[in-house]
Amino acid sequence: MEVPKKLVNSVSGCADDALAGLVACNPGLQLLQGHRVALRADLVAIRGRVALLSGGGSGHEPAHAGYIGKGMLTGVVAGAVFTSPAVGSILAAIRAVTQAGAAGTLLIVKNYTGDRLNFGLALERARAEGADVRMVVVGDDSAFATLKKAGRRGLCGTVLIHKVAGALAEAGASLDEIVEKVSAAAKGLGTLGLSLSPCSVPGSKPTFQLADDEMELGLGIHGEAGVRRMKMLTADEAVEMMLAHMTDPSNASHLPLSPGASVVLVVNNLGGLSCLELGIVAGAAVRCLERRGISIARALVGSFMTALEMAGVSLTLMLVEEELVGLIDANTTAMAWPNLATAPATSQRQELAAPKEGAGTEQHETSSGPGAARVQRVLALVCSTLLGLQDRLNELDRQAGDGDCGHTHARAARAIQEWVRARPPPAAPAQLLSALADLLLEKMGGSSGVLYGLFLTAAARPLLRSTDLPAWADAMDAGIEAMQRYGGAAPGDRTMLDSLCAAAQALHPLRSPGADLLPVLTTAVQSAEAAAEATKHMEAGAGRASYISSARLLQPDPGAVAVAAVLRAVLEGLRS
């Protein structure tokens, strides 16, 4: 197992650099000289109010320094990566807020042995100096069926405690009142994590290993072991399993959750999960809770307490009533707290009805007869050709794009097949091309879908006036002109246009009296195939491939290959 790459200046200085970078970009923060401590820049504003300090090891960003601000934390003490902060620095932070005139200091600490010891010792020393200091330890982990001697680990639910305590302090609550209310709120907290990959401390190997088809339930935010490994599940299945585990009465660390309860939901990215996956998990969590009869008073989705680059997610639930919801909604200037909507989360949002087609929109009428049968035969060949080319187009696209050209064209082929099965396509050329344009714009996706849609939409116009052979040559030219106008590419740019333009040039003889379609079309197809092959020697001038060195582009352009293959299929369909 190799040591993963990290974008840092040095292993030893990465925690200091990260905190300094955050402060540099946030005028509301300041560093405490000689310590890895960040404080509000407006400490004068806390005079007469309770100061809130938190912290722990680095590597959980944006926790904890991202939650410094009016309405949340007064300051944060950061340790090295996954390491409890030094007692001297914690004490220095307490002294700083005490000297600023704070009406007492509350330490909000995650339940880890090192954090409890170091913050606890700093508290005792500060009290010996006459400071009024209290400590609340947050343990919200719902993973373990049997409680450990060390208690429940402190996880992402701690961020909600920061918010509740911060809103109370900003409102002028006393230290005793804040301790009482946040302690009560912490009892209604549950968090459970799920990981798809390990994390790694800078300069070290990953903390654990997971097979490609495995996921782990209930692990800690430092890569500590969870309670179960299992084969990969879908997002819906994983969320259902997580919530069932969190609320199972046989689980000693469960969160009691009954129908009719109201909760704040936090869907937390553990560091390396994509935003796309996070949104899927969030939707699944909302639906699952709704099925259980749970009201989701507020939902937070994002990165709140991470574990470096771990690809995973945690779900946090906090039981709430009206007062707690108000404290969650209270204003804060903390940069990592989201711009939270003050409304419940629900999967039952009303959808806006799609606008109806205007009176001038053409309706695509179906037809039958020899012409319709010929259209269906051609379309069937085009679809089978594209489906057969899927892997090759993907492989060609991996050299210069995102490797999905084959998937995109296969998606178009399957959409056309479903469309033809549902209703006979129009035999009238203009209606056929317009209908195909609408279909591909809706179903194909990517820039290819738009380009084909442009081509077919523009090509349909000349065929409204006439369907003779010269009109087909005009249609080809009109489609290409539209693609060039909006797409910005030109022949020689190593795109699908190279095949199209070669074919269009070869179709010009259709404008001559007595032209024979099949021989001219055969020549056009051969020209398109030759042009597609020639793109392997071109330097890309448009599309994603234009950002890649021509020395690395050793194969033909996948879009050009696809166009040539479609034209070949059309020719074979007409011949048969």
Side-chain angles (χ1 to χ4, degrees):
M1 214 171 17
E2 296 182 353
V3 174
K5 295 179 287 188
K6 302 286 186 191
L7 193 60
V8 299
N9 295 316
S10 69
V11 170
S12 61
C14 59
D16 293 292
D17 289 348
L19 192 60
L22 182 72
V23 172
C25 296
N26 189 338
L29 303 183
Q30 62 180 334
L31 291 171
L32 185 60
Q33 190 173 25
H35 298 277
R36 198 182 292 125
V37 173
L39 298 163
R40 284 176 58 173
D42 60 344
L43 277 185
V44 65
I46 70 165
R47 180 174 295 277
R49 288 188 171 90
V50 173
L52 305 175
L53 298 177
S54 188
S58 298
H60 305 303
E61 291 72 21
H64 298 79
Y67 303 113
I68 299 173
K70 182 180 179 181
M72 284 194 81
L73 298 178
T74 312
V76 157
V77 191
V81 175
F82 291 175
T83 304
S84 297
V87 173
S89 292
I90 301 169
L91 183 58
I94 296 172
R95 287 170 177 160
V97 297
T98 301
Q99 291 171 15
T105 301
L106 177 62
L107 307 180
I108 302 173
V109 180
K110 300 189 303 299
N111 187 30
Y112 290 98
T113 302
D115 288 354
R116 287 201 320 270
L117 288 172
N118 289 15
F119 276 89
L121 178 52
L123 177 148
E124 294 299 332
R125 291 181 60 181
R127 282 180 175 173
E129 296 176 1
D132 185 10
V133 188
R134 301 279 295 276
M135 184 164 79
V136 169
V137 178
V138 181
D140 55 315
D141 187 8
S142 294
F144 294 101
T146 304
L147 284 181
K148 306 294 183 180
K149 184 177 181 180
R152 300 166 70 189
R153 295 175 295 198
L155 301 174
C156 187
T158 310
V159 175
L160 295 179
I161 298 302
H162 292 162
K163 184 64 180 65
V164 170
L168 287 167
E170 187 61 30
S174 68
L175 182 56
D176 286 341
E177 183 182 358
I178 295 173
V179 169
E180 178 185 353
K181 290 190 174 181
V182 299
S183 297
K187 291 177 182 177
L189 270 176
T191 297
L192 187 65
L194 180 73
S195 177
L196 312 183
S197 78
C199 59
S200 57
V201 174
S204 301
K205 295 178 180 180
T207 51
F208 62 93
Q209 286 184 292
L210 274 175
D212 289 343
D213 62 346
E214 285 184 329
M215 59 199 331
E216 182 158 351
L217 179 71
L219 71 175
I221 53 173
H222 310 96
E224 307 97 321
V227 294
R228 193 191 337 162
R229 285 193 179 186
M230 66 206 79
K231 296 298 183 182
M232 285 293 299
L233 302 173
T234 66
D236 284 348
E237 292 167 341
V239 168
E240 182 73 45
M241 179 263 299
M242 292 172 75
L243 290 174
H245 186 92
M246 291 174 68
T247 58
D248 183 355
S250 67
N251 172 3
S253 59
H254 79 286
L255 178 69
L257 199 62
S258 304
S262 182
V263 299
V264 168
L265 165 69
V266 182
V267 182
N268 173 55
N269 189 344
L270 286 171
L273 205 68
S274 70
C275 293
L276 181 144
E277 293 164 283
L278 199 65
I280 294 170
V281 170
V286 169
R287 293 191 299 273
C288 187
L289 288 168
E290 286 178 334
R291 287 195 298 271
R292 291 165 169 255
I294 306 302
S295 172
I296 308 162
R298 300 291 183 266
L300 292 75
V301 182
S303 297
F304 301 102
M305 184 173 288
T306 63
L308 292 167
E309 80 277 32
M310 183 182 289
V313 64
S314 67
L315 299 179
T316 296
L317 298 176
M318 182 169 74
L319 293 168
V320 293
E321 29 62 40
E322 187 175 350
E323 182 186 11
L324 271 181
V325 173
L327 296 171
I328 292 294
D329 287 344
N331 289 335
T332 178
T333 60
M335 63 185 300
W337 185 259
N339 184 19
L340 189 62
T342 56
T346 176
S347 64
Q348 307 301 315
R349 303 261 184 237
Q350 185 173 356
E351 295 185 354
L352 178 66
K356 295 181 179 179
E357 291 185 348
T361 304
E362 287 187 45
Q363 300 300 309
H364 305 307
E365 298 177 1
T366 60
S367 61
S368 57
R374 186 184 307 115
V375 167
Q376 293 189 43
R377 186 167 62 248
V378 169
L379 290 177
L381 270 173
V382 168
C383 292
S384 61
T385 296
L386 290 178
L387 290 170
L389 274 176
Q390 180 174 352
D391 290 342
R392 185 184 176 215
L393 294 177
N394 282 339
E395 181 60 32
L396 292 174
D397 194 32
R398 270 190 281 274
Q399 294 191 27
D402 48 9
D404 69 344
C405 184
H407 294 322
T408 303
H409 283 79
R411 190 159 54 240
R414 284 189 287 269
I416 294 172
Q417 288 175 331
E418 292 176 9
W419 177 60
V420 171
R421 281 194 293 267
R423 55 184 291 185
Q431 287 193 1
L432 174 63
L433 297 191
S434 293
L436 285 171
D438 290 346
L439 182 68
L440 297 186
L441 285 169
E442 180 183 356
K443 302 290 187 181
M444 187 174 187
S447 57
S448 295
V450 179
L451 288 169
Y452 279 113
L454 274 170
F455 175 84
L456 292 167
T457 298
R461 292 194 189 102
L463 297 171
L464 286 169
R465 300 185 297 271
S466 171
T467 59
D468 58 12
L469 294 184
W472 281 99
D474 293 342
M476 192 76 164
D477 288 346
I480 289 171
E481 193 275 331
M483 290 176 70
Q484 288 184 282
R485 186 189 324 138
Y486 296 107
D493 281 343
R494 198 181 191 275
T495 69
M496 61 196 301
L497 268 175
D498 290 298
S499 293
L500 281 171
C501 289
Q505 188 68 32
L507 289 176
H508 284 178
L510 291 178
R511 296 190 176 98
S512 302
D516 190 347
L517 173 62
L518 288 181
V520 173
L521 185 55
T522 300
T523 300
V525 171
Q526 292 169 347
S527 297
E529 291 170 339
E533 184 66 16
T535 58
K536 68 166 63 173
H537 306 298
M538 295 178 184
E539 183 169 345
R544 285 194 180 98
S546 62
Y547 300 102
I548 297 174
S549 167
S550 58
R552 293 172 55 193
L553 299 174
L554 306 176
Q555 297 294 327
D557 176 72
V561 170
V563 165
V566 167
L567 292 173
R568 170 65 66 180
V570 171
L571 173 62
E572 297 304 325
L574 292 175
R575 276 179 173 165
S576 63

